PDB file of all heavy atoms in Angstrom:
ATOM      1  N   ILE A 209     -15.604 310.316 -36.056  1.00 95.00           N
ATOM      2  CA  ILE A 209     -15.794 311.630 -36.649  1.00 95.00           C
ATOM      3  C   ILE A 209     -16.765 311.568 -37.811  1.00 95.00           C
ATOM      4  O   ILE A 209     -16.605 310.735 -38.665  1.00 95.00           O
ATOM      5  CB  ILE A 209     -14.413 312.123 -37.194  1.00 95.00           C
ATOM      6  CG1 ILE A 209     -13.390 312.277 -36.048  1.00 95.00           C
ATOM      7  CG2 ILE A 209     -14.573 313.504 -37.894  1.00 95.00           C
ATOM      8  CD1 ILE A 209     -13.734 313.341 -35.002  1.00 95.00           C
ATOM      9  N   HIS A 210     -17.738 312.415 -37.773  1.00 95.00           N
ATOM     10  CA  HIS A 210     -18.725 312.442 -38.885  1.00 95.00           C
ATOM     11  C   HIS A 210     -18.219 313.402 -39.991  1.00 95.00           C
ATOM     12  O   HIS A 210     -18.232 313.048 -41.159  1.00 95.00           O
ATOM     13  CB  HIS A 210     -20.029 312.872 -38.325  1.00 95.00           C
ATOM     14  CG  HIS A 210     -21.150 312.902 -39.394  1.00 95.00           C
ATOM     15  ND1 HIS A 210     -21.753 311.777 -39.772  1.00 95.00           N
ATOM     16  CD2 HIS A 210     -21.641 313.931 -40.116  1.00 95.00           C
ATOM     17  CE1 HIS A 210     -22.629 312.057 -40.717  1.00 95.00           C
ATOM     18  NE2 HIS A 210     -22.630 313.389 -40.891  1.00 95.00           N
ATOM     19  N   ALA A 211     -17.776 314.615 -39.586  1.00 96.00           N
ATOM     20  CA  ALA A 211     -17.348 315.585 -40.583  1.00 96.00           C
ATOM     21  C   ALA A 211     -16.537 316.668 -39.831  1.00 96.00           C
ATOM     22  O   ALA A 211     -16.472 316.728 -38.624  1.00 96.00           O
ATOM     23  CB  ALA A 211     -18.525 316.243 -41.239  1.00 96.00           C
ATOM     24  N   PHE A 212     -15.801 317.431 -40.670  1.00 97.00           N
ATOM     25  CA  PHE A 212     -15.051 318.634 -40.168  1.00 97.00           C
ATOM     26  C   PHE A 212     -15.694 319.869 -40.759  1.00 97.00           C
ATOM     27  O   PHE A 212     -16.120 319.857 -41.915  1.00 97.00           O
ATOM     28  CB  PHE A 212     -13.602 318.515 -40.625  1.00 97.00           C
ATOM     29  CG  PHE A 212     -12.801 317.546 -39.900  1.00 97.00           C
ATOM     30  CD1 PHE A 212     -12.660 316.238 -40.301  1.00 97.00           C
ATOM     31  CD2 PHE A 212     -12.066 317.950 -38.759  1.00 97.00           C
ATOM     32  CE1 PHE A 212     -11.916 315.338 -39.627  1.00 97.00           C
ATOM     33  CE2 PHE A 212     -11.316 317.090 -38.077  1.00 97.00           C
ATOM     34  CZ  PHE A 212     -11.223 315.699 -38.495  1.00 97.00           C
ATOM     35  N   VAL A 213     -15.696 320.952 -40.022  1.00 97.00           N
ATOM     36  CA  VAL A 213     -16.156 322.247 -40.465  1.00 97.00           C
ATOM     37  C   VAL A 213     -15.088 323.284 -40.185  1.00 97.00           C
ATOM     38  O   VAL A 213     -14.706 323.365 -39.001  1.00 97.00           O
ATOM     39  CB  VAL A 213     -17.506 322.641 -39.813  1.00 97.00           C
ATOM     40  CG1 VAL A 213     -17.975 324.004 -40.356  1.00 97.00           C
ATOM     41  CG2 VAL A 213     -18.583 321.605 -40.080  1.00 97.00           C
ATOM     42  N   ASP A 214     -14.650 323.996 -41.219  1.00 97.00           N
ATOM     43  CA  ASP A 214     -13.686 325.004 -41.009  1.00 97.00           C
ATOM     44  C   ASP A 214     -14.289 326.169 -40.229  1.00 97.00           C
ATOM     45  O   ASP A 214     -15.337 326.689 -40.586  1.00 97.00           O
ATOM     46  CB  ASP A 214     -13.195 325.547 -42.398  1.00 97.00           C
ATOM     47  CG  ASP A 214     -11.954 326.493 -42.241  1.00 97.00           C
ATOM     48  OD1 ASP A 214     -12.063 327.412 -41.456  1.00 97.00           O
ATOM     49  OD2 ASP A 214     -10.984 326.210 -42.966  1.00 97.00           O
ATOM     50  N   MET A 215     -13.664 326.572 -39.106  1.00 95.00           N
ATOM     51  CA  MET A 215     -14.247 327.581 -38.283  1.00 95.00           C
ATOM     52  C   MET A 215     -14.392 328.984 -38.909  1.00 95.00           C
ATOM     53  O   MET A 215     -15.302 329.750 -38.590  1.00 95.00           O
ATOM     54  CB  MET A 215     -13.374 327.773 -36.973  1.00 95.00           C
ATOM     55  CG  MET A 215     -13.419 326.620 -36.058  1.00 95.00           C
ATOM     56  SD  MET A 215     -12.421 327.133 -34.622  1.00 95.00           S
ATOM     57  CE  MET A 215     -12.168 325.548 -33.897  1.00 95.00           C
ATOM     58  N   LYS A 216     -13.443 329.300 -39.739  1.00 94.00           N
ATOM     59  CA  LYS A 216     -13.393 330.610 -40.356  1.00 94.00           C
ATOM     60  C   LYS A 216     -14.232 330.740 -41.574  1.00 94.00           C
ATOM     61  O   LYS A 216     -14.797 331.815 -41.906  1.00 94.00           O
ATOM     62  CB  LYS A 216     -11.968 331.080 -40.663  1.00 94.00           C
ATOM     63  CG  LYS A 216     -11.146 331.232 -39.392  1.00 94.00           C
ATOM     64  CD  LYS A 216      -9.730 331.716 -39.659  1.00 94.00           C
ATOM     65  CE  LYS A 216      -9.002 331.831 -38.384  1.00 94.00           C
ATOM     66  NZ  LYS A 216      -7.571 332.241 -38.614  1.00 94.00           N
ATOM     67  N   THR A 217     -14.329 329.722 -42.401  1.00 95.00           N
ATOM     68  CA  THR A 217     -14.991 329.798 -43.692  1.00 95.00           C
ATOM     69  C   THR A 217     -16.311 329.089 -43.757  1.00 95.00           C
ATOM     70  O   THR A 217     -17.116 329.300 -44.711  1.00 95.00           O
ATOM     71  CB  THR A 217     -14.061 329.253 -44.832  1.00 95.00           C
ATOM     72  OG1 THR A 217     -13.824 327.882 -44.580  1.00 95.00           O
ATOM     73  CG2 THR A 217     -12.733 330.002 -44.859  1.00 95.00           C
ATOM     74  N   GLY A 218     -16.556 328.140 -42.830  1.00 95.00           N
ATOM     75  CA  GLY A 218     -17.805 327.383 -42.897  1.00 95.00           C
ATOM     76  C   GLY A 218     -17.834 326.241 -43.827  1.00 95.00           C
ATOM     77  O   GLY A 218     -18.844 325.620 -44.122  1.00 95.00           O
ATOM     78  N   GLU A 219     -16.639 325.879 -44.423  1.00 96.00           N
ATOM     79  CA  GLU A 219     -16.565 324.852 -45.384  1.00 96.00           C
ATOM     80  C   GLU A 219     -16.655 323.442 -44.682  1.00 96.00           C
ATOM     81  O   GLU A 219     -16.026 323.218 -43.641  1.00 96.00           O
ATOM     82  CB  GLU A 219     -15.219 324.881 -46.129  1.00 96.00           C
ATOM     83  CG  GLU A 219     -15.155 326.112 -46.979  1.00 96.00           C
ATOM     84  CD  GLU A 219     -13.792 326.337 -47.646  1.00 96.00           C
ATOM     85  OE1 GLU A 219     -12.733 325.857 -47.058  1.00 96.00           O
ATOM     86  OE2 GLU A 219     -13.715 327.020 -48.640  1.00 96.00           O
ATOM     87  N   VAL A 220     -17.473 322.553 -45.223  1.00 97.00           N
ATOM     88  CA  VAL A 220     -17.707 321.223 -44.609  1.00 97.00           C
ATOM     89  C   VAL A 220     -16.868 320.219 -45.418  1.00 97.00           C
ATOM     90  O   VAL A 220     -16.891 320.161 -46.617  1.00 97.00           O
ATOM     91  CB  VAL A 220     -19.170 320.857 -44.669  1.00 97.00           C
ATOM     92  CG1 VAL A 220     -19.432 319.468 -44.088  1.00 97.00           C
ATOM     93  CG2 VAL A 220     -20.021 321.904 -43.939  1.00 97.00           C
ATOM     94  N   TYR A 221     -16.134 319.379 -44.686  1.00 96.00           N
ATOM     95  CA  TYR A 221     -15.261 318.353 -45.293  1.00 96.00           C
ATOM     96  C   TYR A 221     -15.707 316.974 -44.728  1.00 96.00           C
ATOM     97  O   TYR A 221     -16.111 316.830 -43.608  1.00 96.00           O
ATOM     98  CB  TYR A 221     -13.861 318.544 -44.871  1.00 96.00           C
ATOM     99  CG  TYR A 221     -13.159 319.794 -45.355  1.00 96.00           C
ATOM    100  CD1 TYR A 221     -13.301 320.988 -44.633  1.00 96.00           C
ATOM    101  CD2 TYR A 221     -12.567 319.827 -46.542  1.00 96.00           C
ATOM    102  CE1 TYR A 221     -12.633 322.167 -45.058  1.00 96.00           C
ATOM    103  CE2 TYR A 221     -11.879 320.981 -47.041  1.00 96.00           C
ATOM    104  CZ  TYR A 221     -12.006 322.168 -46.290  1.00 96.00           C
ATOM    105  OH  TYR A 221     -11.380 323.265 -46.766  1.00 96.00           O
ATOM    106  N   LYS A 222     -15.573 315.950 -45.536  1.00 96.00           N
ATOM    107  CA  LYS A 222     -15.709 314.612 -45.123  1.00 96.00           C
ATOM    108  C   LYS A 222     -14.456 314.207 -44.263  1.00 96.00           C
ATOM    109  O   LYS A 222     -13.399 314.763 -44.499  1.00 96.00           O
ATOM    110  CB  LYS A 222     -15.752 313.689 -46.354  1.00 96.00           C
ATOM    111  CG  LYS A 222     -15.991 312.222 -46.033  1.00 96.00           C
ATOM    112  CD  LYS A 222     -16.080 311.443 -47.337  1.00 96.00           C
ATOM    113  CE  LYS A 222     -16.369 309.999 -47.121  1.00 96.00           C
ATOM    114  NZ  LYS A 222     -15.296 309.330 -46.403  1.00 96.00           N
ATOM    115  N   ALA A 223     -14.592 313.383 -43.271  1.00 95.00           N
ATOM    116  CA  ALA A 223     -13.484 312.997 -42.477  1.00 95.00           C
ATOM    117  C   ALA A 223     -12.549 312.025 -43.172  1.00 95.00           C
ATOM    118  O   ALA A 223     -13.034 311.045 -43.727  1.00 95.00           O
ATOM    119  CB  ALA A 223     -13.872 312.453 -41.147  1.00 95.00           C
ATOM    120  N   ALA A 224     -11.247 312.226 -43.219  1.00 95.00           N
ATOM    121  CA  ALA A 224     -10.339 311.263 -43.808  1.00 95.00           C
ATOM    122  C   ALA A 224      -9.758 310.441 -42.614  1.00 95.00           C
ATOM    123  O   ALA A 224      -9.455 309.260 -42.846  1.00 95.00           O
ATOM    124  CB  ALA A 224      -9.173 311.977 -44.454  1.00 95.00           C
ATOM    125  N   SER A 225      -9.583 311.017 -41.510  1.00 94.00           N
ATOM    126  CA  SER A 225      -9.126 310.283 -40.308  1.00 94.00           C
ATOM    127  C   SER A 225      -9.695 311.000 -39.045  1.00 94.00           C
ATOM    128  O   SER A 225     -10.386 311.991 -39.183  1.00 94.00           O
ATOM    129  CB  SER A 225      -7.596 310.166 -40.272  1.00 94.00           C
ATOM    130  OG  SER A 225      -7.056 311.430 -40.053  1.00 94.00           O
ATOM    131  N   TRP A 226      -9.249 310.591 -37.865  1.00 93.00           N
ATOM    132  CA  TRP A 226      -9.670 311.285 -36.696  1.00 93.00           C
ATOM    133  C   TRP A 226      -9.179 312.680 -36.638  1.00 93.00           C
ATOM    134  O   TRP A 226      -9.807 313.595 -36.132  1.00 93.00           O
ATOM    135  CB  TRP A 226      -9.201 310.444 -35.445  1.00 93.00           C
ATOM    136  CG  TRP A 226      -9.710 311.027 -34.167  1.00 93.00           C
ATOM    137  CD1 TRP A 226      -9.009 311.805 -33.322  1.00 93.00           C
ATOM    138  CD2 TRP A 226     -10.974 310.810 -33.589  1.00 93.00           C
ATOM    139  NE1 TRP A 226      -9.784 312.116 -32.263  1.00 93.00           N
ATOM    140  CE2 TRP A 226     -11.020 311.522 -32.394  1.00 93.00           C
ATOM    141  CE3 TRP A 226     -12.118 310.105 -33.908  1.00 93.00           C
ATOM    142  CZ2 TRP A 226     -12.121 311.577 -31.538  1.00 93.00           C
ATOM    143  CZ3 TRP A 226     -13.243 310.146 -33.092  1.00 93.00           C
ATOM    144  CH2 TRP A 226     -13.229 310.858 -31.942  1.00 93.00           C
ATOM    145  N   LYS A 227      -7.972 312.906 -37.172  1.00 93.00           N
ATOM    146  CA  LYS A 227      -7.300 314.221 -37.021  1.00 93.00           C
ATOM    147  C   LYS A 227      -7.371 315.055 -38.255  1.00 93.00           C
ATOM    148  O   LYS A 227      -7.073 316.243 -38.156  1.00 93.00           O
ATOM    149  CB  LYS A 227      -5.821 314.009 -36.707  1.00 93.00           C
ATOM    150  CG  LYS A 227      -5.612 313.424 -35.332  1.00 93.00           C
ATOM    151  CD  LYS A 227      -4.120 313.331 -35.012  1.00 93.00           C
ATOM    152  CE  LYS A 227      -3.914 312.762 -33.644  1.00 93.00           C
ATOM    153  NZ  LYS A 227      -2.513 312.731 -33.326  1.00 93.00           N
ATOM    154  N   ALA A 228      -7.745 314.557 -39.379  1.00 94.00           N
ATOM    155  CA  ALA A 228      -7.687 315.334 -40.601  1.00 94.00           C
ATOM    156  C   ALA A 228      -8.884 315.149 -41.534  1.00 94.00           C
ATOM    157  O   ALA A 228      -9.473 314.066 -41.600  1.00 94.00           O
ATOM    158  CB  ALA A 228      -6.425 314.906 -41.435  1.00 94.00           C
TER     159      ALA A 228
END
Side-chain angles (χ1 to χ4, degrees):
I209 298 293
H210 182 80
F212 285 89
V213 179
D214 190 309
M215 289 183 196
K216 293 182 180 177
T217 63
E219 294 171 336
V220 179
Y221 296 88
K222 182 178 182 297
S225 69
W226 184 263
K227 294 184 178 184

